[in-house]
């Protein structure tokens, strides 16, 4: 079999895989309570990186965390982190808004 070029995969399949993964997270969480964790850190090159992790609150099983968003920020303060969290949750729950 011939393997497609990486740019072909990025252009044609990455977007579809991303939305399928978000749909899976939405189905997994459904109408349950959720927990959210935001991590801001500095990488080895000195860039500020923010990560948004989400999971379903369930007292009976260990939670499965999902990385919703990861972004390089120009600087970290309350406004940039709040905007990052807002944008990540909008992408995840765009159907519900």
């Amino acid at each position: 079999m011939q393997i497609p070029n990486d740019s072909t995969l990025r252009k044609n399949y990455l977007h579809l895989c991303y939305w399928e993964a978000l749909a899976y997270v939405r189905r997994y969480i459904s109408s349950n309570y959720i927990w959210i964790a935001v991590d801001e850190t500095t990488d080895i090159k000195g860039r500020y990186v923010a990560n948004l992790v989400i999971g379903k609150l369930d007292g009976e099983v260990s939670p499965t965390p999902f990385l919703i968003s990861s972004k390089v920020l120009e600087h970290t303060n309350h406004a940039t982190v709040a905007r990052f969290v807002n944008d990540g949750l909008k992408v995840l729950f765009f159907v519900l808004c």
Side-chain angles (χ1 to χ4, degrees):
M1 297 180 81
Q2 184 178 6
I3 299 173
N5 190 349
D6 62 342
S7 65
T8 303
L9 293 173
R10 254 193 322 273
K11 290 176 190 174
N12 298 327
Y13 299 105
L14 185 62
H15 189 71
L16 177 63
C17 292
Y18 174 75
W19 288 107
E20 284 180 6
L22 282 179
Y24 172 77
V25 173
R26 284 187 203 107
R27 283 191 309 272
Y28 179 79
I29 292 173
S30 64
S31 61
N32 295 299
Y33 290 108
I34 61 171
W35 58 267
I36 298 171
V38 180
D39 173 52
E40 55 180 289
T41 188
T42 306
D43 70 359
I44 197 163
K45 293 186 178 181
R47 298 175 294 199
Y48 301 111
V49 180
N51 298 303
L52 178 64
V53 180
I54 192 170
K56 178 172 67 170
L57 279 177
D58 190 354
E60 297 180 14
V61 293
S62 179
T64 302
F66 296 98
L67 178 65
I68 300 301
S69 182
S70 186
K71 185 177 182 181
V72 175
L73 304 174
E74 291 190 26
H75 37 55
T76 56
N77 58 31
H78 69 282
T80 57
V81 173
R83 189 175 318 116
F84 168 73
V85 171
N86 235 3
D87 293 344
L89 293 177
K90 280 182 188 177
V91 168
L92 181 62
F93 296 114
F94 79 96
V95 174
L96 304 176
C97 297

